[in-house]
Amino acid sequence: MNIESAAKTFETQTSETLIIGVQKHREQMKNWSAFSEFYGDVIDTWLHAGEISSDVKKITKLPYSGSHSSLKRIYFVGLGERKNITANELREVFAAVGKELKAAKVSDAAVWVESFTTDQLEEAEVAYLAGEGLNLGYYSVQNYKTTSNEPNTYFDQIQFVTEANMEDVIGNFEVGKIYADAVNEARTLINLPPNLLTASDLADYATELANIYGLEVEVLNKAQLEELGMGGILSVNKGSVEEPRLITLKYQGKPEWEDVIGFVGKGVTYDTGGYSLKPREGMVGMKGDMGGAAVVLGAMRIIGETHPKQNVVAVIGSTDNMVSGDAFKPDDVITMYNGKTVEVLNTDAEGRLVLADAMTYAKQQGANYLIDVATLTGGVIVALGKDKTGALTNNEEFFEEFMGAALETGEFVWRLPLTESDKKRIRKSEVADLNNSPGRDGHMIFGGGFVGEFAEGTPWVHLDIAGTSDADAPHALGPKGGTGAMVRTLAALVELRDN
């Protein structure tokens, strides 16, 4: 994207589209008189007549017919009682604008920064939120239709009308765009059809990402996993013709490899449920069961771009879960990478087996803190709906630190309890150390709690994104499909540690 580096006024900006925030009380808006003089007195007449709405997220598009050589249209964006608007709401306001720009095939625009500022949100933060919101809203899901002749359009130029320090404005917009681009990459991975994203494809993507950003990368194949004895991943993979992969990325932002945050992602590229077969309706959409892996890769992309002074290791276990004569079965007993045995009661509770081996490997790679991310259970949707990520933890201090990042990004996370009684049920088996499915009641807690058995004493947070990873309909920040939920929060956690 071309981001203009010179300070701009209404007269000198060269975009065809100008984006302006409008609040209910224009007399309180900074420099409104300058815009009124540029546009003409008729603008105030239209505002007072209600021709231009100040309702939050309401966009009024008007043509421009003045003397400016390039400007063709103005998007007036409602902010309501602007002094009360929050950072989360302003991000959504800019996302709404991004959607409108995409629909109109507008590829460049100028933003009057001061029209969006409040006492709490100064120019630099407005620019950051614009970088996130505009680019999140502009995203569209790739399709494979052969009848469409519509060319792809990209939001590729931005200018700023502002009196603020232009370097600060541009820098903050660029960081917001980095976050949005990473979320959009995660969305694209989640939306890919399963025949176009196998475990080896996911490993290739991770390797390319590592090469771009200078990350250390390791990809273990099936033979290497067998040599290590990773019974969780290998058991889930038994029914497949596609080989599994264990993907590790490392970013070193400190002189010594210490104080390492570990991200662990579930990369099940398609989940039939195995012999505990899902119903037909439940199988559609299982291409997104690698959403946790996509989130981890998105976070690593941001880290690679922003270079925080923090050490991070990311481990992704990837396979599909298929049915064949070789597939693992209920009643199997498997030995995990750390030596614990597991009685399989449900082959559709496969993600926790993959995550468990990946957790152990992350600890071996030096992780001092662990966050696993997975589309793990339908139980989290029953408990919390589709707009909240469910969480478990074994460490109050680390969880509070994580929640600080979630509050920063506006991604809703709700913690559920993990009690000693829950742990006893996970450990209840006459033939093994653990069972992988204690029951339907408390399903989200049992799924995450199983993974927690492999964190052992390491501070750990579990994130179940089964509800938030995929949207059934267009939403405030994007279209139907993969959302990239939790990419921004994982990256923000690392950024806050850098500070």
Side-chain angles (χ1 to χ4, degrees), residues 2 4 29 44-45 61 85 123 128 160 163-164 180 217 244 247 288 301 310 318 360 380 389 401-402 452 456 468:
N2 180 27
E4 292 291 333
M29 292 181 65
D44 291 303
T45 302
K61 292 179 282 187
I85 200 164
E123 286 88 348
Y128 172 83
F160 303 101
E163 295 179 344
V217 60
I247 305 159
R301 172 174 171 151
Q310 176 64 48
S318 187
T360 302
V380 73
T389 293
E401 183 182 357
F402 167 80
E456 297 174 319
T468 52

Side-chain angles (χ1 to χ4, degrees), residues 466-484:
T468 52
S469 180
D470 187 85
D472 296 331
H475 55 98
L477 295 178
K480 176 182 177 180
T483 65

Side-chain angles (χ1 to χ4, degrees), residues 193-229:
N195 60 319
L196 301 182
L197 187 68
T198 63
S200 58
D201 292 328
L202 195 64
D204 289 344
Y205 176 90
T207 300
E208 182 181 355
L209 190 74
N211 291 336
I212 291 171
Y213 296 112
L215 309 175
E216 183 181 332
V217 60
E218 175 191 70
V219 177
L220 301 182
N221 61 26
K222 184 176 182 179
Q224 292 167 310
L225 297 179
E226 288 172 339
E227 185 176 345
L228 290 171

Side-chain angles (χ1 to χ4, degrees), residues 63-280:
Y64 175 77
S65 57
S67 59
H68 193 283
S69 59
S70 62
L71 186 61
K72 294 182 178 179
R73 67 192 71 86
I74 299 179
Y75 283 28
F76 295 94
V77 188
L79 302 177
E81 297 279 356
R82 189 180 64 165
K83 64 180 180 180
N84 298 323
I85 200 164
T86 66
N88 292 335
E89 289 169 333
L90 190 54
R91 183 186 294 109
E92 292 181 0
V93 164
F94 280 117
V97 175
K99 292 177 183 180
E100 289 287 339
L101 294 175
K102 179 70 174 179
K105 298 181 174 59
V106 175
S107 60
D108 72 290
V111 177
W112 179 20
V113 178
E114 275 77 12
S115 68
F116 292 96
T117 58
T118 70
D119 291 341
Q120 292 75 37
L121 300 172
E122 298 182 348
E123 286 88 348
E125 187 164 7
V126 167
Y128 172 83
L129 295 168
E132 276 196 339
L134 288 171
N135 288 283
L136 289 172
Y138 205 88
Y139 176 80
S140 61
V141 177
Q142 179 182 356
N143 69 60
Y144 305 90
K145 296 180 180 181
T146 58
T147 56
S148 175
N149 294 317
E150 294 259 338
N152 287 326
T153 56
Y154 302 94
F155 186 48
D156 55 19
Q157 180 167 299
I158 185 75
Q159 297 182 32
F160 303 101
V161 176
T162 183
E163 295 179 344
N165 181 288
M166 185 60 73
E167 186 176 337
D168 289 344
V169 169
I170 289 175
N172 279 274
F173 181 90
E174 286 177 334
V175 174
K177 182 180 183 300
I178 286 168
Y179 272 66
D181 286 347
V183 171
N184 289 339
E185 282 287 307
R187 289 170 168 177
T188 296
L189 287 172
I190 293 166
N191 291 330
L192 280 173
N195 60 319
L196 301 182
L197 187 68
T198 63
S200 58
D201 292 328
L202 195 64
D204 289 344
Y205 176 90
T207 300
E208 182 181 355
L209 190 74
N211 291 336
I212 291 171
Y213 296 112
L215 309 175
E216 183 181 332
V217 60
E218 175 191 70
V219 177
L220 301 182
N221 61 26
K222 184 176 182 179
Q224 292 167 310
L225 297 179
E226 288 172 339
E227 185 176 345
L228 290 171
M230 289 202 176
I233 298 173
L234 290 166
S235 293
V236 176
N237 180 252
K238 282 181 69 176
S240 179
V241 297
E242 297 284 347
E243 281 204 1
R245 293 289 187 269
L246 186 76
I247 305 159
T248 303
L249 299 175
K250 288 182 179 178
Y251 168 85
Q252 186 166 347
K254 295 183 175 184
E256 303 295 330
W257 188 247
E258 58 188 15
D259 188 34
V260 180
I261 295 179
F263 296 151
V264 179
K266 173 186 172 183
V268 176
T269 57
Y270 197 78
D271 181 20
T272 67
Y275 272 107
S276 303
L277 195 66
K278 295 179 184 292
R280 175 178 59 83

Side-chain angles (χ1 to χ4, degrees), residues 264-266 351-360 372-374 376 451:
V264 179
K266 173 186 172 183
R352 63 202 69 178
L353 301 174
V354 174
L355 284 169
D357 279 351
M359 290 267 287
T360 302
D372 77 89
V373 194
L376 203 64
V451 179

